[in-house]
Amino acid sequence: QVQVVESGGGLVQAGGSLRLSCAVSGSIFSRNDISWYRQAPGNERELVAGITSGGSTNYADSVKGRFIISRDNAENTVYLQMSMLKPEDTAVYYCNVFRGGRNLVVINAWGQGTQVTVSS
């Protein structure tokens, strides 16, 4: 079983910062692509940031310049450093662990999410 556990969420004032962690076990972590998604009440789940096994990153336009995704393969953990937080960042943040090829999904695992609330 691949386990994905998010942590680090909480309540923060607008303009503040939080660092989310995604701890992964049960896989060869360095081979995985990791993404952060978020879902606000009434909204669909959206991709926030991703980092590939090779270290390439991508971000939603809404968070570019404010969020940084990184990975520590030695600790089997991906981080999402969130700065200059806005009320619209309020959501449950989910970590997704993915590994696949053209014809086979090896891993597609989700955590339970961590709540981020940004007050104005």
Side-chain angles (χ1 to χ4, degrees):
Q1 292 282 347
V2 176
Q3 291 184 303
V4 182
V5 180
E6 303 98 334
S7 62
L11 175 64
V12 65
Q13 292 180 318
S17 299
L18 284 173
R19 189 180 72 162
L20 306 184
S21 298
C22 173
V24 181
S25 62
S27 71
I28 303 175
F29 180 81
S30 62
R31 299 181 182 179
N32 299 328
D33 298 335
I34 314 293
S35 298
W36 285 98
Y37 290 75
R38 68 186 181 189
Q39 187 166 22
N43 292 1
E44 63 184 14
R45 190 171 297 187
E46 65 175 345
L47 177 66
V48 177
I51 185 165
T52 69
S53 61
S56 298
T57 60
N58 65 284
Y59 299 91
D61 288 342
S62 60
V63 307
K64 286 181 179 177
R66 300 190 297 119
F67 292 9
I68 299 174
I69 188 170
S70 62
R71 65 192 299 158
D72 185 339
N73 289 339
E75 297 294 331
N76 293 348
T77 302
V78 165
Y79 302 97
L80 185 66
Q81 179 65 51
M82 306 186 296
S83 301
M84 298 180 287
L85 283 162
K86 305 174 181 179
E88 52 262 45
D89 295 318
T90 295
V92 178
Y93 284 71
Y94 298 91
C95 183
N96 173 255
V97 178
F98 181 83
R99 183 194 302 166
R102 288 190 296 270
N103 301 309
L104 179 66
V105 175
V106 179
I107 299 172
N108 187 14
W110 294 85
Q112 294 299 307
T114 185
Q115 176 72 50
V116 172
T117 303
V118 184
S119 63
S120 60

